[in-house]
Amino acid sequence: MFNSSSDPWAPTEETSAPEFANVVSCYKWHLLNKNASIAQANIACSMREDLLRLGTGMYIALWLLGLTIIITNTVVLLGIIGTRALHRPIYFYLANLAITDVFAGIGLLYRTVGHVGHSVMYEFTLTYFNLIIFAQMTSASALSLLSVDSYIAVKHPMYFHIHSDSAKLRAVVALTVSWILFSVLVFSPSMGWNCHHMQTLTKGICISWYPLAFVIICASIVLLLCIVMMFTNISVYVAIRNREKRRLEQAGVPLGAPGENGPVQNVEGGDQPKNAAQEEAQRKYKERVYKARTVMIHVLMSFAFWLLPLLLVAVCQFLPDICPSKRGPYMFACFSLNSVINPMATLIRTADLRNAIHQKLTGVHQTLVTMMRGNRVNPQED
């Protein structure tokens, strides 16, 4: 019944297992066809390192993508933290978005080397999945908070102005609550809420390692956050267009004509002067519109890269021959591409942050130059 080797679950010619597409299929095969226990399936599947091994090209791609995500988002995060003038609610939300994107980079780097030293592969796979899911759910939450903030600023400017003193407190509370809730939910499979620990991998309805209830809860939350992002950003876009249309109609300028910075004309055609309060209100409104458009760019790019893996799944269903056998790394890499675009969009669209980072880099450069010149000073010349 068993071979004569020291490990009865080591694969031999008589008991060699078929080729598996992933770790989950390996566990299911041993639990069903070998009548193995959980511990025995752990031993057998942990010997199959080929299930986790990636090609050289994919290793390099994940490494570069992960490092790029971590470096760019860390620059944004340090620029916000190190500049006191940027300690405002909008930058709190942008810093929160940068932190969530860093987790996506950590997950990609963990995928390339995290399996080294793991004797049980399902622990590694589960941790990797949890990191990517956590990064994307918290990213969706961060974008939702940004969208709600811009919605209130544009649609309800009086409320936004009156409650500006408590805006920091509300931002901190919202961020803290979201991180606690998502941490408990997403990492609950690592604490036992998974089909492997619950021993329902072959009995219940499972999607990968996850029970159906977990998948439904996560999908419902992401769908709700996407609805919030769509509703708020579409409402802001419509409000901006309507306000611009009314302004041009009152000024007697045809819609779409130039004159954004020119004098505003009244219906009779004369120039209508503006006082200081009106100028300040117009400046603040333009600033809010600019920030709202920045949020729209973040949301649109995230939607595009979240839909890309779904498109990949659809293509692989109809054309399986052109798809790689191991699709998981490619799908999660596509999910994480928005974590590269987010910091770039933030730096391009946020001049205050860009200038603050430039000043800090200039200061570091000047310090290094001063130190190098000081080391080359000749005491005899002095």
Side-chain angles (χ1 to χ4, degrees):
M1 184 174 178
F2 295 100
N3 56 57
S4 58
S5 62
S6 59
D7 189 354
W9 288 96
T12 62
E13 295 181 358
E14 294 79 13
T15 62
S16 59
E19 292 294 329
F20 300 113
N22 49 48
V23 179
V24 179
S25 60
C26 177
Y27 276 86
K28 286 184 177 180
W29 187 87
H30 283 88
L31 293 174
L32 288 173
N33 299 307
K34 302 282 290 184
N35 294 323
S37 64
I38 295 294
Q40 291 168 335
N42 287 341
I43 296 173
C45 293
S46 294
M47 297 177 183
R48 301 293 301 270
E49 291 191 4
D50 59 297
L51 297 177
L52 300 178
R53 192 177 296 117
L54 299 171
T56 304
M58 195 61 190
Y59 266 118
I60 295 174
L62 290 183
W63 259 104
L64 292 177
L65 183 60
L67 287 175
T68 303
I69 290 173
I70 292 175
I71 292 173
T72 53
N73 284 282
T74 301
V75 169
V76 171
L77 186 60
L78 293 179
I80 295 174
I81 294 176
T83 307
R84 185 176 295 274
L86 300 182
H87 293 177
R88 290 179 284 168
I90 182 66
Y91 290 101
F92 288 177
Y93 296 126
L94 290 174
N96 177 50
L97 182 62
I99 295 175
T100 61
D101 290 335
V102 167
F103 276 92
I106 294 174
L108 294 177
L109 293 184
Y110 180 76
R111 177 63 182 87
T112 59
V113 298
H115 63 279
V116 178
H118 270 275
S119 59
V120 181
M121 286 187 176
Y122 85 88
E123 293 179 353
F124 159 74
T125 308
L126 197 62
T127 303
Y128 167 60
F129 287 166
N130 290 344
L131 280 173
I132 298 299
I133 294 172
F134 178 75
Q136 298 311 311
M137 290 190 69
T138 51
S139 180
S141 173
L143 291 172
S144 298
L145 292 174
L146 273 170
S147 300
V148 171
D149 183 73
S150 66
Y151 174 82
I152 297 175
V154 175
K155 292 280 290 183
H156 305 284
M158 290 300 298
Y159 179 89
F160 186 84
H161 175 72
I162 293 173
H163 296 85
S164 59
D165 295 337
S166 60
K168 288 185 179 180
L169 178 60
R170 294 199 308 271
V172 171
V173 171
L175 297 178
T176 303
V177 171
S178 65
W179 274 84
I180 293 175
L181 291 179
F182 286 117
S183 298
V184 172
L185 173 63
V186 176
F187 290 103
S188 59
S190 297
M191 295 179 283
W193 192 21
N194 61 78
C195 294
H196 186 79
H197 280 114
M198 298 166 62
Q199 299 185 7
T200 58
L201 193 61
T202 58
K203 301 175 184 178
I205 301 176
C206 297
I207 300 177
S208 186
W209 300 110
Y210 300 105
L212 183 61
F214 174 83
V215 176
I216 292 176
I217 292 174
C218 291
S220 300
I221 292 175
V222 172
L223 180 61
L224 178 62
L225 294 176
C226 290
I227 293 174
V228 170
M229 285 184 274
M230 291 179 62
F231 171 78
T232 52
N233 284 280
I234 292 175
S235 300
V236 169
Y237 177 79
V238 172
I240 293 173
R241 292 290 297 174
N242 290 338
R243 183 184 175 103
E244 184 67 15
K245 182 178 179 180
R246 289 195 303 269
R247 187 186 71 83
L248 293 176
E249 289 177 349
Q250 292 173 358
V253 179
L255 186 62
E260 177 68 22
N261 298 321
V264 179
Q265 297 179 346
N266 58 20
V267 180
E268 287 75 15
D271 292 340
Q272 182 179 356
K274 293 183 178 180
N275 55 34
Q278 290 175 334
E279 291 285 351
E280 180 65 17
Q282 184 68 15
R283 185 191 65 80
K284 289 183 177 181
Y285 175 76
K286 289 182 177 180
E287 182 180 351
R288 293 168 187 167
V289 169
Y290 186 84
K291 292 178 180 178
R293 288 173 176 165
T294 302
V295 175
M296 292 179 192
I297 293 174
H298 282 295
V299 171
L300 288 175
M301 297 304 298
S302 297
F303 273 33
F305 288 114
W306 286 337
L307 293 175
L308 187 61
L310 301 179
L311 180 62
L312 178 63
V313 171
V315 171
C316 291
Q317 290 292 330
F318 292 99
L319 300 172
D321 296 335
I322 67 174
C323 294
S325 58
K326 296 179 180 179
R327 303 167 191 171
Y330 295 92
M331 291 182 58
F332 284 111
C334 292
F335 271 120
S336 302
L337 286 176
N338 67 309
S339 299
V340 181
I341 302 300
N342 285 336
M344 295 181 181
T346 300
L347 290 174
I348 292 173
R349 296 280 301 177
T350 311
D352 293 342
L353 176 60
R354 189 170 62 250
N355 295 334
I357 294 175
H358 181 266
Q359 291 177 1
K360 291 185 180 299
L361 292 178
T362 303
V364 172
H365 176 263
Q366 292 176 350
T367 302
L368 293 176
V369 170
T370 303
M371 292 175 59
M372 294 175 65
R373 289 178 177 176
N375 293 333
R376 291 199 299 265
V377 171
N378 190 349
Q380 294 180 355
E381 294 179 359
D382 295 339

Tab-separated table of all heavy atoms in Angstrom, residues 330-368:
chain	number	residue	atom	x	y	z
A	330	TYR	N	-0.723	36.887	-13.409
A	330	TYR	CA	-1.028	37.897	-14.409
A	330	TYR	C	-2.248	38.712	-14.000
A	330	TYR	O	-2.268	39.946	-14.173
A	330	TYR	CB	-1.272	37.236	-15.766
A	330	TYR	CG	-0.060	36.552	-16.337
A	330	TYR	CD1	0.184	35.204	-16.094
A	330	TYR	CD2	0.848	37.252	-17.121
A	330	TYR	CE1	1.305	34.568	-16.622
A	330	TYR	CE2	1.975	36.627	-17.652
A	330	TYR	CZ	2.195	35.288	-17.401
A	330	TYR	OH	3.300	34.672	-17.914
A	331	MET	N	-3.263	38.043	-13.463
A	331	MET	CA	-4.469	38.749	-13.064
A	331	MET	C	-4.188	39.720	-11.925
A	331	MET	O	-4.614	40.885	-11.956
A	331	MET	CB	-5.549	37.749	-12.662
A	331	MET	CG	-6.116	36.930	-13.808
A	331	MET	SD	-7.429	35.828	-13.260
A	331	MET	CE	-8.572	36.995	-12.544
A	332	PHE	N	-3.455	39.254	-10.904
A	332	PHE	CA	-3.177	40.132	-9.764
A	332	PHE	C	-2.224	41.251	-10.149
A	332	PHE	O	-2.290	42.342	-9.581
A	332	PHE	CB	-2.623	39.316	-8.602
A	332	PHE	CG	-3.669	38.527	-7.869
A	332	PHE	CD1	-3.709	37.148	-7.935
A	332	PHE	CD2	-4.637	39.168	-7.121
A	332	PHE	CE1	-4.681	36.421	-7.272
A	332	PHE	CE2	-5.613	38.456	-6.448
A	332	PHE	CZ	-5.635	37.079	-6.528
A	333	ALA	N	-1.334	40.994	-11.113
A	333	ALA	CA	-0.474	42.073	-11.608
A	333	ALA	C	-1.307	43.139	-12.302
A	333	ALA	O	-1.055	44.348	-12.142
A	333	ALA	CB	0.585	41.509	-12.547
A	334	CYS	N	-2.320	42.717	-13.064
A	334	CYS	CA	-3.220	43.687	-13.713
A	334	CYS	C	-4.007	44.476	-12.679
A	334	CYS	O	-4.203	45.699	-12.818
A	334	CYS	CB	-4.164	42.960	-14.667
A	334	CYS	SG	-3.364	42.245	-16.120
A	335	PHE	N	-4.472	43.806	-11.626
A	335	PHE	CA	-5.193	44.508	-10.561
A	335	PHE	C	-4.326	45.587	-9.920
A	335	PHE	O	-4.831	46.629	-9.498
A	335	PHE	CB	-5.644	43.518	-9.486
A	335	PHE	CG	-6.992	42.912	-9.744
A	335	PHE	CD1	-7.134	41.546	-9.881
A	335	PHE	CD2	-8.116	43.696	-9.849
A	335	PHE	CE1	-8.374	40.970	-10.116
A	335	PHE	CE2	-9.364	43.150	-10.089
A	335	PHE	CZ	-9.484	41.774	-10.220
A	336	SER	N	-3.018	45.326	-9.844
A	336	SER	CA	-2.120	46.219	-9.114
A	336	SER	C	-1.568	47.346	-9.969
A	336	SER	O	-0.844	48.202	-9.442
A	336	SER	CB	-0.944	45.408	-8.542
A	336	SER	OG	-1.412	44.367	-7.698
A	337	LEU	N	-1.882	47.376	-11.261
A	337	LEU	CA	-1.351	48.430	-12.118
A	337	LEU	C	-1.857	49.813	-11.712
A	337	LEU	O	-1.175	50.817	-11.916
A	337	LEU	CB	-1.717	48.148	-13.581
A	337	LEU	CG	-0.935	47.024	-14.267
A	337	LEU	CD1	-1.475	46.787	-15.665
A	337	LEU	CD2	0.552	47.344	-14.323
A	338	ASN	N	-3.063	49.882	-11.150
A	338	ASN	CA	-3.565	51.191	-10.720
A	338	ASN	C	-2.729	51.768	-9.587
A	338	ASN	O	-2.689	52.986	-9.402
A	338	ASN	CB	-5.025	51.083	-10.277
A	338	ASN	CG	-5.185	50.271	-9.016
A	338	ASN	OD1	-4.680	49.159	-8.927
A	338	ASN	ND2	-5.885	50.801	-8.034
A	339	SER	N	-2.019	50.899	-8.851
A	339	SER	CA	-1.152	51.374	-7.766
A	339	SER	C	0.085	52.072	-8.296
A	339	SER	O	0.765	52.769	-7.535
A	339	SER	CB	-0.746	50.198	-6.870
A	339	SER	OG	-1.892	49.596	-6.282
A	340	VAL	N	0.411	51.891	-9.576
A	340	VAL	CA	1.497	52.635	-10.215
A	340	VAL	C	0.989	53.977	-10.726
A	340	VAL	O	1.675	55.003	-10.631
A	340	VAL	CB	2.109	51.816	-11.372
A	340	VAL	CG1	3.245	52.574	-12.027
A	340	VAL	CG2	2.607	50.475	-10.871
A	341	ILE	N	-0.224	53.985	-11.266
A	341	ILE	CA	-0.768	55.204	-11.854
A	341	ILE	C	-1.166	56.212	-10.778
A	341	ILE	O	-1.012	57.432	-10.975
A	341	ILE	CB	-1.988	54.854	-12.733
A	341	ILE	CG1	-1.580	53.854	-13.818
A	341	ILE	CG2	-2.574	56.099	-13.364
A	341	ILE	CD1	-0.515	54.343	-14.756
A	342	ASN	N	-1.674	55.745	-9.644
A	342	ASN	CA	-2.152	56.664	-8.607
A	342	ASN	C	-1.099	57.670	-8.149
A	342	ASN	O	-1.365	58.882	-8.124
A	342	ASN	CB	-2.691	55.869	-7.414
A	342	ASN	CG	-4.043	55.248	-7.699
A	342	ASN	OD1	-4.786	55.715	-8.549
A	342	ASN	ND2	-4.362	54.171	-6.996
A	343	PRO	N	0.121	57.239	-7.746
A	343	PRO	CA	1.099	58.245	-7.301
A	343	PRO	C	1.543	59.173	-8.426
A	343	PRO	O	1.800	60.365	-8.186
A	343	PRO	CB	2.272	57.394	-6.789
A	343	PRO	CG	2.127	56.083	-7.471
A	343	PRO	CD	0.651	55.875	-7.619
A	344	MET	N	1.633	58.656	-9.660
A	344	MET	CA	2.015	59.515	-10.781
A	344	MET	C	0.960	60.585	-11.033
A	344	MET	O	1.288	61.759	-11.260
A	344	MET	CB	2.234	58.664	-12.028
A	344	MET	CG	3.397	57.697	-11.917
A	344	MET	SD	3.636	56.733	-13.412
A	344	MET	CE	5.028	55.697	-12.924
A	345	ALA	N	-0.317	60.186	-10.996
A	345	ALA	CA	-1.389	61.163	-11.176
A	345	ALA	C	-1.393	62.187	-10.044
A	345	ALA	O	-1.637	63.381	-10.266
A	345	ALA	CB	-2.739	60.447	-11.256
A	346	THR	N	-1.117	61.739	-8.832
A	346	THR	CA	-1.070	62.658	-7.692
A	346	THR	C	0.033	63.688	-7.856
A	346	THR	O	-0.170	64.884	-7.622
A	346	THR	CB	-0.869	61.869	-6.391
A	346	THR	OG1	-1.959	60.953	-6.208
A	346	THR	CG2	-0.803	62.805	-5.194
A	347	LEU	N	1.221	63.236	-8.279
A	347	LEU	CA	2.344	64.155	-8.436
A	347	LEU	C	2.120	65.117	-9.600
A	347	LEU	O	2.452	66.303	-9.512
A	347	LEU	CB	3.635	63.365	-8.659
A	347	LEU	CG	4.151	62.578	-7.446
A	347	LEU	CD1	5.348	61.726	-7.837
A	347	LEU	CD2	4.524	63.519	-6.311
A	348	ILE	N	1.555	64.625	-10.695
A	348	ILE	CA	1.343	65.482	-11.865
A	348	ILE	C	0.277	66.534	-11.595
A	348	ILE	O	0.416	67.706	-11.981
A	348	ILE	CB	0.967	64.622	-13.082
A	348	ILE	CG1	2.167	63.759	-13.507
A	348	ILE	CG2	0.515	65.501	-14.248
A	348	ILE	CD1	1.839	62.765	-14.598
A	349	ARG	N	-0.776	66.139	-10.883
A	349	ARG	CA	-1.920	67.028	-10.697
A	349	ARG	C	-1.834	67.873	-9.429
A	349	ARG	O	-2.649	68.767	-9.232
A	349	ARG	CB	-3.205	66.196	-10.646
A	349	ARG	CG	-3.529	65.463	-11.925
A	349	ARG	CD	-4.169	66.365	-12.937
A	349	ARG	NE	-5.401	66.961	-12.438
A	349	ARG	CZ	-6.117	67.834	-13.126
A	349	ARG	NH1	-5.713	68.221	-14.328
A	349	ARG	NH2	-7.234	68.332	-12.635
A	350	THR	N	-0.876	67.610	-8.549
A	350	THR	CA	-0.798	68.323	-7.271
A	350	THR	C	0.507	69.100	-7.220
A	350	THR	O	1.559	68.562	-6.880
A	350	THR	CB	-0.881	67.343	-6.090
A	350	THR	OG1	-1.980	66.452	-6.287
A	350	THR	CG2	-1.068	68.083	-4.785
A	351	ALA	N	0.436	70.373	-7.566
A	351	ALA	CA	1.646	71.190	-7.644
A	351	ALA	C	2.271	71.410	-6.276
A	351	ALA	O	3.502	71.440	-6.147
A	351	ALA	CB	1.311	72.535	-8.300
A	352	ASP	N	1.453	71.580	-5.219
A	352	ASP	CA	1.997	71.814	-3.881
A	352	ASP	C	2.849	70.630	-3.426
A	352	ASP	O	3.954	70.817	-2.891
A	352	ASP	CB	0.859	72.052	-2.887
A	352	ASP	CG	0.113	73.346	-3.166
A	352	ASP	OD1	0.677	74.195	-3.883
A	352	ASP	OD2	-1.028	73.489	-2.685
A	353	LEU	N	2.342	69.440	-3.636
A	353	LEU	CA	3.096	68.249	-3.238
A	353	LEU	C	4.352	68.105	-4.087
A	353	LEU	O	5.425	67.767	-3.567
A	353	LEU	CB	2.211	67.013	-3.376
A	353	LEU	CG	2.874	65.659	-3.084
A	353	LEU	CD1	3.404	65.611	-1.668
A	353	LEU	CD2	1.877	64.530	-3.313
A	354	ARG	N	4.224	68.348	-5.374
A	354	ARG	CA	5.381	68.232	-6.264
A	354	ARG	C	6.480	69.231	-5.880
A	354	ARG	O	7.667	68.891	-5.858
A	354	ARG	CB	4.925	68.454	-7.701
A	354	ARG	CG	5.972	68.142	-8.744
A	354	ARG	CD	5.376	68.141	-10.136
A	354	ARG	NE	4.837	69.443	-10.519
A	354	ARG	CZ	3.541	69.699	-10.650
A	354	ARG	NH1	2.651	68.744	-10.425
A	354	ARG	NH2	3.122	70.895	-11.022
A	355	ASN	N	6.088	70.458	-5.568
A	355	ASN	CA	7.076	71.460	-5.158
A	355	ASN	C	7.718	71.109	-3.821
A	355	ASN	O	8.925	71.330	-3.622
A	355	ASN	CB	6.417	72.833	-5.076
A	355	ASN	CG	5.952	73.330	-6.432
A	355	ASN	OD1	6.500	72.946	-7.457
A	355	ASN	ND2	4.934	74.177	-6.436
A	356	ALA	N	6.922	70.570	-2.900
A	356	ALA	CA	7.473	70.194	-1.593
A	356	ALA	C	8.509	69.070	-1.743
A	356	ALA	O	9.579	69.112	-1.117
A	356	ALA	CB	6.340	69.744	-0.665
A	357	ILE	N	8.202	68.069	-2.564
A	357	ILE	CA	9.160	66.980	-2.784
A	357	ILE	C	10.418	67.505	-3.469
A	357	ILE	O	11.547	67.109	-3.129
A	357	ILE	CB	8.498	65.865	-3.611
A	357	ILE	CG1	7.374	65.213	-2.801
A	357	ILE	CG2	9.519	64.814	-4.029
A	357	ILE	CD1	6.580	64.193	-3.579
A	358	HIS	N	10.247	68.415	-4.438
A	358	HIS	CA	11.399	68.990	-5.131
A	358	HIS	C	12.287	69.764	-4.167
A	358	HIS	O	13.535	69.683	-4.237
A	358	HIS	CB	10.918	69.896	-6.260
A	358	HIS	CG	12.031	70.517	-7.047
A	358	HIS	ND1	12.530	71.772	-6.766
A	358	HIS	CD2	12.756	70.033	-8.094
A	358	HIS	CE1	13.505	72.047	-7.601
A	358	HIS	NE2	13.670	71.019	-8.433
A	359	GLN	N	11.689	70.524	-3.257
A	359	GLN	CA	12.481	71.269	-2.287
A	359	GLN	C	13.250	70.347	-1.356
A	359	GLN	O	14.430	70.602	-1.034
A	359	GLN	CB	11.567	72.187	-1.480
A	359	GLN	CG	10.978	73.349	-2.281
A	359	GLN	CD	10.024	74.188	-1.470
A	359	GLN	OE1	9.803	73.926	-0.283
A	359	GLN	NE2	9.445	75.210	-2.094
A	360	LYS	N	12.615	69.264	-0.943
A	360	LYS	CA	13.308	68.328	-0.049
A	360	LYS	C	14.459	67.628	-0.780
A	360	LYS	O	15.544	67.445	-0.211
A	360	LYS	CB	12.322	67.302	0.503
A	360	LYS	CG	11.306	67.898	1.470
A	360	LYS	CD	10.437	66.856	2.084
A	360	LYS	CE	9.446	67.507	3.052
A	360	LYS	NZ	10.144	68.217	4.155
A	361	LEU	N	14.217	67.232	-2.023
A	361	LEU	CA	15.300	66.603	-2.786
A	361	LEU	C	16.429	67.586	-3.032
A	361	LEU	O	17.611	67.208	-2.975
A	361	LEU	CB	14.750	66.076	-4.108
A	361	LEU	CG	13.772	64.901	-4.019
A	361	LEU	CD1	13.263	64.522	-5.411
A	361	LEU	CD2	14.422	63.697	-3.366
A	362	THR	N	16.096	68.850	-3.284
A	362	THR	CA	17.129	69.867	-3.462
A	362	THR	C	17.930	70.070	-2.184
A	362	THR	O	19.160	70.218	-2.218
A	362	THR	CB	16.491	71.198	-3.901
A	362	THR	OG1	15.739	70.989	-5.109
A	362	THR	CG2	17.547	72.252	-4.146
A	363	GLY	N	17.239	70.069	-1.040
A	363	GLY	CA	17.938	70.200	0.231
A	363	GLY	C	18.877	69.045	0.505
A	363	GLY	O	20.008	69.237	0.979
A	364	VAL	N	18.407	67.817	0.198
A	364	VAL	CA	19.276	66.643	0.382
A	364	VAL	C	20.490	66.728	-0.537
A	364	VAL	O	21.625	66.440	-0.135
A	364	VAL	CB	18.476	65.353	0.114
A	364	VAL	CG1	19.397	64.151	0.097
A	364	VAL	CG2	17.397	65.178	1.162
A	365	HIS	N	20.279	67.151	-1.790
A	365	HIS	CA	21.380	67.285	-2.742
A	365	HIS	C	22.394	68.318	-2.267
A	365	HIS	O	23.614	68.091	-2.323
A	365	HIS	CB	20.821	67.670	-4.111
A	365	HIS	CG	21.875	67.937	-5.140
A	365	HIS	ND1	22.322	69.207	-5.437
A	365	HIS	CD2	22.592	67.085	-5.931
A	365	HIS	CE1	23.257	69.140	-6.363
A	365	HIS	NE2	23.434	67.857	-6.689
A	366	GLN	N	21.915	69.472	-1.788
A	366	GLN	CA	22.829	70.495	-1.301
A	366	GLN	C	23.609	70.024	-0.076
A	366	GLN	O	24.802	70.315	0.063
A	366	GLN	CB	22.045	71.764	-0.973
A	366	GLN	CG	21.454	72.458	-2.195
A	366	GLN	CD	20.609	73.650	-1.824
A	366	GLN	OE1	20.302	73.875	-0.642
A	366	GLN	NE2	20.199	74.436	-2.825
A	367	THR	N	22.959	69.269	0.808
A	367	THR	CA	23.658	68.739	1.976
A	367	THR	C	24.760	67.772	1.568
A	367	THR	O	25.882	67.824	2.096
A	367	THR	CB	22.654	68.031	2.902
A	367	THR	OG1	21.628	68.948	3.284
A	367	THR	CG2	23.356	67.515	4.143
A	368	LEU	N	24.456	66.883	0.619
A	368	LEU	CA	25.468	65.934	0.160
A	368	LEU	C	26.638	66.648	-0.524
A	368	LEU	O	27.804	66.289	-0.311
A	368	LEU	CB	24.830	64.930	-0.804
A	368	LEU	CG	23.812	63.968	-0.187
A	368	LEU	CD1	23.188	63.092	-1.275
A	368	LEU	CD2	24.459	63.095	0.872
